[in-house]
Amino acid sequence: MKKNRKNLALLLLAASLLAGCAGQSNSQSSQSSQAKSENKAESKASSKSAAKSAASSAVSSTKSSSSQASSKSAASSSQRADANRMGTLTSQLRVKLPGMLLPAADGLGQGSSNLNIRYASSSSQNVVYYSIGNSPLALNDSRIASEKPYAVLTEKKNVADASSLINYQEPKTGLPAVKIASNVTGTEEWAAGSTYLQFNQGQWSFVVRASNVQGQKPLPTAQKLLALYQQYGLPDTAAKSSVQVDVGESLGSLNTVITWAKGSSVYQLKAHSTETAFKMLKSLN
């Protein structure tokens, strides 16, 4: 009887242990299943988030590209309009001043949309004034006379002695030498409170004047002048011609003066900027 009770107790203990293991297994299985479900949900949410981010990025990129394209198109249209204004005014000038050499480019870095031109003509000379106003005006509008020109182109016709107007300077000797570039040397002299730096290239003489009173130095301007000549060149001329530059550029100063002969005419371009003058002359026809 005692043995039967012991056996029964052992059977009950074994059954209890088996039931506990089964419950723990089911619990672990349930937890594992729940974890898998949560991982799947997180994965789906992550995928949706990534898709939304990619779509947002694509829309942003498309808007940016569209904006850049619009800006480029606007800039291109503005440049065409500026070029067309110079072209339109120059075409009108050619009718008024037949035979005169005129630049096709205004030589400006900005302000071309408000470019204005006026001219004066007589039997002995033609003079064309280029300026920037507050608004574009018709050729020779009377209001343009109040604007400061940034460039003035003059043609003196039927000139008997061109040399008297051109002021070409022969190379100097016996003066201090100044190296302007590796293969270009000029000469320097002092007179009337100024320093004059001169160099010659082909048929052209180049003279830069600096004010000693204002503490100006001619060499940097002479180096820039030489670089512009090498980049843009100057009009073809059979006669000896000249370039004269006063150091310092300001609106209306017309500190650059370029003079040359073409046939029986002598041309002169004055400009407030040396670079503007070279750009204009490069397009001369």
Side-chain angles (χ1 to χ4, degrees):
M1 188 71 175
K2 290 181 179 179
K3 286 183 179 180
N4 289 335
R5 287 178 180 176
K6 287 183 178 179
N7 290 335
L8 181 59
L10 290 172
L11 287 172
L12 290 171
L13 179 61
S16 176
L17 290 173
L18 288 171
C21 290
Q24 184 176 4
S25 175
N26 288 336
S27 175
Q28 289 176 346
S29 175
S30 174
Q31 290 176 354
S32 174
S33 176
Q34 184 179 357
K36 287 181 180 179
S37 177
E38 290 176 353
N39 287 340
K40 286 182 179 180
E42 289 179 358
S43 176
K44 288 181 179 180
S46 177
S47 297
K48 288 182 179 179
S49 177
K52 287 182 179 179
S53 177
S56 176
S57 177
V59 170
S60 177
S61 176
T62 301
K63 287 182 178 179
S64 176
S65 298
S66 176
S67 176
Q68 290 177 357
S70 178
S71 297
K72 287 181 179 179
S73 176
S76 178
S77 297
S78 176
Q79 289 173 352
R80 286 196 298 270
D82 292 349
N84 287 342
R85 177 153 182 79
M86 179 64 176
T88 298
L89 292 173
T90 302
S91 295
Q92 295 172 7
L93 267 179
R94 293 192 191 283
V95 175
K96 303 294 183 180
L97 307 174
M100 181 179 181
L101 293 175
L102 296 169
D106 59 29
L108 297 171
Q110 59 183 3
S112 298
S113 58
N114 287 334
L115 169 70
N116 290 320
I117 298 177
R118 65 183 177 92
Y119 71 92
S121 181
S122 69
S123 59
S124 60
Q125 70 175 18
N126 297 320
V127 186
V128 182
Y129 302 86
Y130 298 83
S131 61
I132 299 298
N134 294 321
S135 62
L137 300 172
L139 178 68
N140 244 26
D141 188 294
S142 60
R143 289 170 289 179
I144 301 175
S146 63
E147 298 174 356
K148 286 185 177 181
Y150 71 84
V152 179
L153 178 63
T154 302
E155 177 195 18
K156 292 189 179 294
K157 298 179 279 187
N158 303 314
V159 176
D161 181 14
S163 62
S164 63
L165 299 173
I166 292 175
N167 196 29
Y168 172 85
Q169 300 292 309
E170 294 288 349
K172 301 291 195 304
T173 58
L175 293 172
V178 178
K179 189 173 184 179
I180 299 171
S182 58
N183 59 342
V184 179
T185 300
T187 57
E188 195 172 63
E189 64 179 325
W190 300 267
S194 298
T195 300
Y196 295 84
L197 179 53
Q198 176 185 333
F199 63 95
N200 292 62
Q201 295 283 287
Q203 293 282 81
W204 293 86
S205 68
F206 299 81
V207 177
V208 175
R209 186 187 75 83
S211 170
N212 297 335
V213 176
Q214 297 180 37
Q216 297 173 340
K217 303 296 181 183
L219 181 56
T221 299
Q223 291 172 329
K224 177 185 176 182
L225 179 56
L226 176 62
L228 289 171
Y229 170 68
Q230 292 173 338
Q231 179 180 356
Y232 294 103
L234 284 168
D236 291 333
T237 175
K240 293 180 178 180
S241 303
S242 70
V243 179
Q244 296 172 294
V245 178
D246 285 353
V247 174
E249 296 180 354
S250 60
L251 182 61
S253 62
L254 305 179
N255 282 347
T256 295
V257 182
I258 301 174
T259 314
W260 74 101
K262 183 70 173 179
S264 62
S265 295
V266 171
Y267 284 87
Q268 183 178 84
L269 178 66
K270 294 182 178 181
H272 82 282
S273 162
T274 306
E275 185 169 2
T276 292
F278 273 84
K279 287 180 177 179
M280 293 179 75
L281 292 182
K282 176 70 174 178
S283 67
L284 200 69
N285 62 70

